[in-house]
Amino acid sequence: GWSLTLILSHGSLQLLFSTIPSPFKLKSGLAAHHITMIVPLLFAACHGVHLWILDEGVAAERAGSYEDRIFSKHDGSLALTHFMCGLQIYDLLSTTLVSDLRRTDNLAHHAATLLFVLACLLPTAGPCYTHFSGFLFGIMEISSVPLIISALCREFPHLTESSLGKKINNIARI
């Protein structure tokens, strides 16, 4: 699933950046991680916004009882929770293996997020709290895409040498 796809994408990019002349050569793992994360984070943000704001099933759960929200079986919410599980497996693995990312706060954040996702998917009564997936695993990721772009520009300043690069970095930092 998602974990394998992201690991293969990261590995391919890291191999590419480390073997060809590239401004990313010295920090190929960091560049591969940040670039790999852009698409899935954008997907999570868009899917989460759709679920939380536009989906009629999620709105009906919100209007229902507290139990309806806790034990939601909404397909879109459950799919986003499964997606986030794959994303966090990749993110924890890459954070562990890429020395530029291996910091205690990063490791703790990704381990805690993965544990929370697993707790939502593995309870004995079936999935729980997936009603909140649109918000927790989607809307909360809206800020992640500009943060990744900003981090790329900070770690690789050559990206901001062109006027387009400067504009993109400035927009991401707003």
Side-chain angles (χ1 to χ4, degrees):
W2 274 102
S3 295
L4 183 59
T5 302
L6 295 171
I7 290 166
L8 291 173
S9 298
H10 178 116
S12 300
L13 286 172
Q14 187 167 351
L15 180 65
L16 179 70
F17 294 152
S18 63
T19 56
I20 64 168
S22 161
F24 300 129
K25 189 171 185 114
L26 295 176
K27 294 184 176 185
S28 59
L30 182 67
H33 174 267
H34 287 344
I35 291 169
T36 298
M37 289 297 288
I38 291 172
V39 171
L41 290 173
L42 190 58
F43 169 79
C46 291
H47 193 64
V49 166
H50 177 267
L51 282 172
W52 197 249
I53 296 173
L54 302 173
D55 191 276
E56 292 177 11
V58 172
E61 289 172 355
R62 229 181 341 266
S65 71
Y66 188 64
E67 258 186 20
D68 292 340
R69 291 187 295 279
I70 291 176
F71 298 107
S72 163
K73 301 286 192 273
H74 186 277
D75 289 341
S77 297
L78 192 56
L80 184 58
T81 306
H82 281 280
F83 163 79
M84 187 53 70
C85 185
L87 180 64
Q88 289 305 317
I89 289 169
Y90 159 74
D91 217 358
L92 183 58
L93 181 64
S94 66
T95 301
T96 303
L97 296 176
V98 175
S99 61
D100 292 313
L101 295 169
R102 196 180 316 123
R103 293 189 341 244
T104 304
D105 60 331
N106 283 344
L107 292 167
H109 166 76
H110 295 303
T113 305
L114 180 57
L115 288 173
F116 178 69
V117 170
L118 290 173
C120 290
L121 293 173
L122 300 177
T124 56
C128 65
Y129 299 109
T130 59
H131 165 79
F132 303 100
S133 296
F135 184 79
L136 295 172
F137 305 141
I139 289 179
M140 296 295 285
E141 297 299 348
I142 290 172
S143 64
S144 297
V145 176
L147 287 172
I148 289 276
I149 293 168
S150 196
L152 267 170
C153 291
R154 183 180 57 254
E155 292 292 335
F156 304 99
H158 71 279
L159 294 174
T160 60
E161 290 173 0
S162 71
S163 63
L164 177 61
K166 283 180 190 171
K167 286 178 185 174
I168 291 171
N169 185 38
N170 287 335
I171 289 169
R173 292 171 53 197
I174 291 179

